[in-house]
Amino acid sequence: MADSIELARRLCLQPPARRTGTGRCRPRGRLGAPSLRVPRPPLSLSLSLWSSLRCRALDSTRPVAVEGGLGDEEDEDEEGESYFALTSSRLSRVDYLGESTKGDLNVRREHLDAFGGNGKSTLHGPIEEIAWQEAREAESLLRELGIADPFSVRHSPRGIFCTRTLNLRSISVIGYDMDYTLIHYNVMAWEGRAYDYGMANLKGMGFPVDDLEFDPDLVIRGLIMDKDKGNLVKADRFGYIKRAMHGTQMLSTSAVSEIYGRELVDLRKESRWEFLNTLFSVSEAVMFMQMVDKLDQGLVPAELGPLDYKGLYNAVSRALFRAHVEGQLKSEIMAEPERFVEPDPELPLALLDQKEAGKRLLLITNSDYHYTNKMMNHAFNRFLPNDMAWRDLFEMVIVSARKPEFFQISHPLYEVVTNDGLMRPCFKANSGGLYSGGSAQMVEKSLDIHGDEILYVGDHIYTDVSQSKVHLRWRTALICRELEDEFDALIRSHVQKEQLITLIQQKEVVGDLFNQLRLALQRRTNSRPAQTLAATCMDDQELTESMQKLLIVMQRLDEKIAPMLESDGELFNKRWGWLSRTGLWDKSHLTRQIEKYADIYTSRVSNFLHYTPFMYFQSQEQTLGHDVHSYSRRQQH
C-alpha cells in the first residue's frame, strides 16, 4: 500500500517551481502565463482517491493565457487552445456603484461567443433560469469531488462577515499582523502570565496584591475603562452607558443612570476613556479593577502618595509595560511556545491559497525579529508542504513596525541581514526583504500599489484597523476570536430569545390598545369628545374595566420579561452579556467600531480557507426604521 501511494505521488508530482526575477515562485510552464494549480486534497478524501483525481486533472489541464502577454500565439500552437484570459480588475468597465463582480479571469472572446453569444449553446435562454441550472450542476460537481458547499460556512462560527462590500479579486496585496492574528495565544496562559508579571511589579512598588488572582471572565473585549471614576463600562453604539462595574462589583441600573445619565463615552478623550481594543487588554483591565477595590478599602499604603483612580491606572499601566519591555514574558513564551500558542493547521494552507492565487502577502508586526521568527517557525513550518518555511509565504516582512505610527509617519528603515537579527540602514524596501521600522507609505511605493488594492488583517481595532483605514484607505479585516463563543451561545439561546421577542411583541400590542383607551378616558374626564362618537358615548365602567384588564396583562408580561432580559447574554458572559450588543436590540460600542472601520470580520485567519481567494463579500441590507417589512410583525396579530 505504501509503495502504491509513493508511486502515485511521484507520477502526479508537479514540475518544480523556479524563481522569477521578482523573487516570486512560478511553476514551470508557458512563458508569461501561470499554470492552472491543482488544489491540495480535501481532508475528507483518501490519499489514493486524491492521487487518482489529481493525475486526471493534470492530464486534462489546459494552460491559461495572459491577455496581452508575450508569445500567446506560439504557445497556443504548441500546447493547444486556451479558454481563459487574465486581465487586471482595474480594467473592468462595469461597476454600478461599487457592486460589480469584476475580476481578473475572463473567458476568451471566441469561447464566450461559442457558449452564449450565437444562440446555439445550452447557455442560451433567460439568464435567471440558466444561473440556477448551472449552479446546481456546479454544486453536484463539488459534491463528487468531496469539496464542501461554499454556502455551508457562511452562517457558522467560522464564517467571514461583511460590513462593507469587498471583492478579493480586486485585492493584490494582503498584509497581516502577527499577535492574536496569525498567532493565537491561549488567553488564560498568555494574559495570565502577563498579569503575574504585572502584579509582581506592583508588589515591588509596595501595592498589596498577595491575595489576588487572575480572573479572565471579569472583562470582555470592547469594554471601556473610566480612569476618572475607577469604573469599567459597556456602552451602546451611540456612547450611552448601559452597564458598569466599580472595582469588581457590578453597579445597579439606577446607579448607572445616576452616574452616567448625562454623559456619553467619547473615545477621543484618551485622558479619561481607555477602550479594550484587543485581548491584550484583558490583563490590564483585571489588574485595574482589582486595585480599585484595594484603593477603596484603604489598603494602599500612604507612602505611595495620595492616589486617585487615574493615578492608580497609571501605576497599573507602568507595571504591565515593564513586564513587556523587560522581556521576561516573551522570553518565557519563546522557551515554551507550545504552552502559550494554540496551533491552527489550516492557517498556513489558507495563506498558501492566497499566495498561489497571485496575492502578495505581507507580515507587518510590532514584535521584534527574534520573537517573530520563533513564533512563526513554531506556528507555520510544520504545516507547510514541500519543506517550505514561513518566510516563503511573504513578499515582505516588517518587524518592530511601531504601529499605529507606522500608518501615519515614516520611521528609519533597517534591513535584517543575519539570522541573529543584525541590521543595517537602508532607504528602499525590495520584494522578498525582511525589514525593521519604515512606514506604510514605503510599502505602497515599494510594491507600486496604493489604497484599496491592499487588505490589512489584524486584531486591534485602533492600531491595525482604524488607522490603516483612516490614513491610507486600505481595506481592512478584523480578527475577533470571541465570535466563535458568541455565535455558539446565540445558537443555544435561540429558543429563549424567540420566546422573549414574542412576549415583548405581545406587550407592545396590548400597550398600544391600552394607550388608546387611556386617551379616550382622559378626554372624557376633561369633558372633551373622545377619538370617535362611539368612544365618547361608551359607559365609563366598561371603559375602566377594559383598561384594568389590559394593565394587569402588561404587568404580568413584565414579570416574565424582566428576568429574561436580565439573563439575555449570560451564556456568553454573566456580567456583561453579549460582545456585540448592549441589549436585545441595540449594538454595542464595539460593534459600532467594527462596522465603521472593518470591511470584513471573522474569528480567525484560517476561515479564509473555507472561502476562496476570489471571494466577493457583499454586505447585508441595513434595516431602516421606515422599511416596509419592519412593520410585518404587527400584521401577524
Side-chain angles (χ1 to χ4, degrees), residues 194 197-205 315-330:
Y197 282 115
M199 282 302 194
N201 290 333
L202 282 179
K203 183 176 181 180
M205 299 178 198
V316 168
S317 184
R318 286 196 302 270
L320 200 55
F321 182 74
R322 277 184 55 197
H324 289 281
V325 169
E326 292 176 356
Q328 300 166 306
L329 177 58
K330 287 194 172 181

Side-chain angles (χ1 to χ4, degrees), residues 197-479:
Y197 282 115
M199 282 302 194
N201 290 333
L202 282 179
K203 183 176 181 180
M205 299 178 198
F207 286 92
V209 300
D210 288 336
D211 60 333
L212 299 177
E213 295 181 354
F214 180 56
D215 180 6
D217 293 327
L218 195 65
V219 304
I220 60 175
R221 187 202 304 242
L223 300 180
I224 304 152
M225 285 186 281
D226 182 350
K227 293 180 279 190
D228 284 356
K229 299 183 182 296
N231 293 340
L232 191 63
V233 305
K234 184 177 183 181
D236 67 13
R237 57 180 166 150
F238 303 110
Y240 291 97
I241 294 172
K242 299 298 184 179
R243 298 192 189 193
M245 169 191 288
H246 181 76
T248 59
Q249 301 299 314
M250 296 299 296
L251 299 177
S252 66
T253 302
S254 58
V256 172
S257 178
E258 182 178 347
I259 298 171
Y260 294 111
R262 296 179 182 271
E263 289 191 86
L264 293 177
V265 168
D266 185 352
L267 297 180
R268 293 172 296 181
K269 297 180 179 178
E270 297 180 0
S271 62
R272 178 175 182 183
W273 307 105
E274 187 73 24
F275 191 59
L276 274 60
N277 282 289
T278 174
L279 289 172
F280 279 129
S281 305
V282 170
S283 52
E284 181 180 52
V286 172
M287 290 173 63
F288 181 49
M289 291 299 101
Q290 290 177 339
M291 295 312 300
V292 165
D293 284 344
K294 295 291 186 181
L295 185 63
D296 289 345
Q297 295 164 7
L299 299 178
V300 175
E303 54 266 26
L304 292 176
L307 281 177
D308 57 8
Y309 296 123
K310 184 174 291 186
L312 185 63
Y313 171 81
N314 291 336
V316 168
S317 184
R318 286 196 302 270
L320 200 55
F321 182 74
R322 277 184 55 197
H324 289 281
V325 169
E326 292 176 356
Q328 300 166 306
L329 177 58
K330 287 194 172 181
S331 295
E332 186 174 341
I333 295 171
M334 291 171 67
E336 297 182 275
E338 64 281 354
R339 178 181 162 200
F340 295 92
V341 176
E342 294 185 359
D344 189 347
E346 295 181 328
L347 174 57
L349 302 182
L351 267 60
L352 195 57
D353 274 344
Q354 293 173 352
K355 178 181 176 64
E356 293 173 347
K359 312 298 183 187
R360 291 182 283 175
L361 306 185
L362 311 177
L363 176 61
I364 305 174
T365 175
N366 283 353
S367 293
D368 61 65
Y369 166 71
H370 294 288
Y371 184 79
T372 299
N373 190 47
K374 182 70 175 182
M375 292 298 101
M376 294 295 287
N377 276 332
H378 174 77
F380 274 75
N381 288 3
R382 53 185 161 154
F383 301 122
L384 285 169
N386 303 328
D387 298 322
M388 285 184 67
W390 70 269
R391 285 282 308 279
D392 297 324
L393 288 170
F394 297 95
E395 184 92 356
M396 187 181 296
V397 175
I398 300 174
V399 299
S400 303
R402 298 177 67 178
K403 297 175 294 182
E405 292 180 2
F406 180 82
F407 298 113
Q408 304 167 16
I409 60 178
S410 182
H411 289 290
L413 180 68
Y414 298 90
E415 183 180 9
V416 181
V417 293
T418 69
N419 291 333
D420 294 332
L422 182 66
M423 296 186 293
R424 65 185 177 197
C426 64
F427 301 98
K428 181 182 178 182
N430 295 310
S431 176
L434 171 60
Y435 301 97
S436 174
S439 69
Q441 292 85 351
M442 172 271 296
V443 170
E444 291 185 335
K445 185 176 180 180
S446 300
L447 300 179
D448 191 25
I449 53 171
H450 61 82
D452 60 5
E453 294 178 78
I454 308 173
L455 173 67
Y456 190 68
V457 186
D459 73 294
H460 198 294
I461 294 176
Y462 179 74
T463 298
D464 295 321
V465 175
S466 75
Q467 295 305 290
S468 60
K469 172 72 70 179
V470 169
H471 293 283
L472 300 163
R473 293 298 185 266
W474 287 7
R475 306 307 299 270
T476 51
L478 181 77
I479 301 301

Side-chain angles (χ1 to χ4, degrees), residues 30 62-65 76 80-85 108 110-111:
R30 304 174 63 244
R62 292 183 182 268
V64 176
E76 285 183 10
E81 194 175 16
S82 177
Y83 292 152
F84 301 108
R108 295 183 70 87
E110 55 269 29
H111 293 289

